[in-house]
Amino acid sequence: MHKIVVAAWAALALLSLPAAAVNKCTAPDGSVAFQDAPCAGKGEAVVVRPASGSGGLAPGGVSEAQRINAAIDRSAAARRVVELDALLIPRATQALQRHQLRCTQQRAELERSQYAYRQNLYGKTHAAQMASEMVQLTLDCEREEKALLRTLRTLEQERSAAAGAAN
């Protein structure tokens, strides 16, 4: 009789193991997150049956919600890599190249104007003014080029980090 009671309790305990409840929560901005706790706002419970002996954890001791969120994070990082490669880094590179070309053209135009004015007395005074404008243009171009290079380097660093997170 004692063996039957113990067997019945063991069977009842095995049958009463709850399935892991993972909650799919939707934020007001439309983003979706999976978590073990109930959703604060809009959401639905997703029943996940653990593999026997896992105790509700995915391989490696990670909950199903954590595994799903990690997969979402990897996917988002992979999408960001594509966006950086296809759109943002090429745009930043083109902006830098356009800026460098514009500065080169402006310097060349100032040099041509400076030379043309050197041919007469008025021109010598004007040439000094043009030299001052060239110095200011050079400083402005260098400052803008540094800012554009910083932007490009930041995007490239973000791309490297996102590529690492995507893997």
Side-chain angles (χ1 to χ4, degrees):
M1 177 78 167
H2 179 66
K3 290 181 182 180
I4 295 173
V5 172
V6 171
W9 277 107
L12 184 61
L14 287 175
L15 290 175
S16 66
L17 282 177
V22 175
N23 296 290
K24 179 180 177 184
C25 303
T26 305
D29 65 358
S31 63
V32 175
F34 292 88
Q35 61 190 37
D36 295 324
C39 301
K42 184 179 171 187
E44 63 183 84
V46 180
V47 177
V48 179
R49 298 230 178 255
S52 78
S54 69
L57 298 180
V62 177
S63 74
E64 188 65 15
Q66 291 170 324
R67 187 192 64 73
I68 292 170
N69 281 330
I72 290 170
D73 292 344
R74 284 191 305 276
S75 176
R79 282 192 308 275
R80 184 64 176 167
V81 167
V82 169
E83 179 183 27
L84 286 163
D85 284 346
L87 188 65
L88 299 176
I89 291 175
R91 279 186 185 170
T93 301
Q94 290 170 353
L96 177 61
Q97 291 169 343
R98 280 192 307 271
H99 169 73
Q100 290 170 332
L101 178 63
R102 186 174 48 251
C103 285
T104 299
Q105 291 170 339
Q106 288 174 333
R107 280 189 202 108
E109 182 59 36
L110 283 175
E111 287 173 2
R112 281 192 295 279
S113 296
Q114 187 180 30
Y115 178 76
Y117 283 114
R118 284 185 189 163
Q119 305 309 314
N120 60 41
L121 183 59
Y122 168 75
K124 291 185 189 238
T125 304
H126 189 69
Q129 179 184 353
M130 297 295 282
S132 175
E133 287 181 32
M134 287 178 69
V135 168
Q136 186 60 48
L137 174 67
T138 300
L139 293 174
D140 291 345
C141 285
E142 286 175 356
R143 185 178 54 250
E144 179 69 13
E145 186 171 336
K146 285 179 184 177
L148 290 167
L149 278 170
R150 270 193 311 272
T151 299
L152 180 59
R153 297 298 172 252
T154 300
L155 290 170
E156 289 172 341
Q157 288 171 350
E158 181 183 350
R159 192 246 180 250
S160 293
N167 294 329

